[in-house]
Amino acid sequence: MSVTRRILWCKRLLVGSVWRVFPEASRQLTIRAAEAEETVVSNAHASDASPYPYHYKPAHKEAPLKSFQTGQVLGTVHLHPFVFGAPPRIDILHRIVVWQRAKRREGLAKVKDRSEVRGGGRKPWKQKGSGRARQGSIRAPHWRGGGVVHGPRGPKSYDYTLPKKVKSLGLRVALSVKYTQGDLTVVDALQVPTHRVRETFPILEREEWSSVLMVDGGELDRNLCYATRNLQKVDVLPSKGLNVYSILLRDKLVLSIGAVRQLEQRLLQDCVD
């Protein structure tokens, strides 16, 4: 029983005991108890409908819109607080990172058992009369160079499933953490005129993006992909392929305005649900 419910229960007992002595006072207590119970029920329904904890009030989020080519501020972008203002949840981030790394893991470890080791086809000596222990093969597990018992056997999948809401919450928390730390930049478009690295590298130096993940909303620019594929710690992803591990792997996160709108449209479905 919660503390609020216990208080209401005590008030009802108090009303029942006072009713015989003070009818008017007990009537007033009854009215106040009913009002308090309605308030508790309404607050409970409001907290159930809200996607945020009762102690968390999301504020309006804004970010400057910059030009990717020149770095000039073009305006201000309004960010939805449900997507970019989620409370920090390190436990959720840890669960998703462990899940992603387990999903990428290749269980290729394999050992040979006694039937796969070369040799050992004949009986090393006769069954009786030699004075030694009976043996059937020199590739038995207790022999040196023999097969391995209970070892890893070939390709193994370490993948498991996570709830959809947990994965969505982890992506919102990762985006919110980057925004809160000041490591999130919104640009107009992720496009470069040429595929040469000498044309793209000055942009990264100007913004101090030594470790950056760039996310575009639509189809990726081919010149940008060619220009950054040989640069260390510079990744380019579409918005549909954005994940928590890639966000946390790099220090900076650059989103195009199209990527912001697509992410909000996709992640706001949990707010509606």
Side-chain angles (χ1 to χ4, degrees):
M1 182 183 296
S2 62
V3 178
T4 308
R5 298 291 182 183
R6 190 174 300 172
I7 293 174
L8 294 177
W9 180 68
C10 293
K11 283 186 177 182
R12 290 173 182 173
L13 290 180
L14 180 62
V15 170
S17 60
V18 177
W19 179 264
R20 303 184 185 89
V21 184
F22 304 103
E24 185 64 26
S26 60
R27 190 177 297 110
Q28 295 294 332
L29 288 176
T30 305
I31 296 174
R32 292 179 182 177
E35 292 177 353
E37 187 172 1
E38 291 179 359
T39 304
V40 170
V41 173
S42 62
N43 291 337
H45 288 304
S47 62
D48 293 340
S50 176
Y52 302 99
Y54 69 93
H55 62 275
Y56 181 74
K57 297 180 179 180
H60 188 67
K61 303 297 181 181
E62 292 182 351
L65 177 63
K66 292 185 177 182
S67 173
F68 184 72
Q69 297 289 339
T70 62
Q72 297 178 354
V73 179
L74 305 178
T76 304
V77 180
H78 297 280
L79 305 177
H80 201 283
F82 182 75
V83 179
F84 295 92
R89 291 287 303 274
I90 301 179
D91 58 327
I92 296 295
L93 296 179
H94 177 264
R95 285 183 61 183
I96 295 181
V97 169
V98 171
W99 168 70
Q100 285 190 243
R101 289 176 61 88
K103 191 174 182 180
R104 296 182 182 184
R105 183 177 176 183
E106 296 182 359
L108 300 180
K110 181 182 181 300
V111 296
K112 294 182 179 181
D113 57 12
R114 61 183 298 171
S115 65
E116 297 172 335
V117 179
R118 178 181 175 88
R122 69 179 180 86
K123 191 175 178 65
W125 50 79
K126 61 181 182 178
Q127 181 79 356
K128 295 178 177 294
S130 64
R132 290 176 290 184
R134 53 192 175 187
Q135 302 293 334
S137 173
I138 62 173
R139 294 297 179 251
H142 60 282
W143 279 70
R144 180 179 180 273
V148 179
V149 184
H150 307 307
R153 298 295 302 167
K156 177 183 177 181
S157 176
Y158 294 89
D159 185 21
Y160 57 93
T161 58
L162 274 183
K164 182 180 177 182
K165 293 295 184 69
V166 174
K167 293 185 284 187
S168 177
L169 176 59
L171 189 56
R172 291 191 288 111
V173 169
L175 292 172
S176 303
V177 168
K178 288 296 183 182
Y179 174 82
T180 305
Q181 294 177 346
D183 296 332
L184 175 63
T185 305
V186 182
V187 298
D188 53 353
L190 291 174
Q191 295 179 355
V192 290
T194 178
H195 65 280
R196 297 182 180 275
V197 181
R198 68 179 67 178
E199 301 291 339
T200 308
F201 194 73
I203 300 176
L204 304 178
E205 281 190 335
R206 182 194 65 212
E207 301 293 339
E208 297 181 355
W209 291 341
S210 58
S211 176
V212 61
L213 171 64
M214 293 181 283
V215 183
D216 200 358
E219 186 177 356
L220 296 179
D221 184 44
R222 182 175 298 181
N223 292 334
L224 182 63
C225 294
Y226 285 158
T228 58
R229 62 182 178 180
N230 290 331
L231 298 178
Q232 294 183 354
K233 299 183 179 181
V234 178
D235 301 330
V236 181
L237 287 177
S239 61
K240 63 178 64 176
L242 186 62
N243 57 85
V244 175
Y245 184 71
S246 298
I247 294 176
L248 301 180
L249 191 62
R250 302 304 176 203
D251 297 338
K252 303 293 183 180
L253 177 62
V254 179
L255 300 177
S256 65
I257 186 65
V260 171
R261 299 311 174 205
Q262 288 188 7
L263 289 172
E264 289 180 346
Q265 182 180 5
R266 186 178 72 183
L267 297 176
L268 282 176
Q269 295 179 359
D270 294 339
C271 182
V272 176
D273 296 340

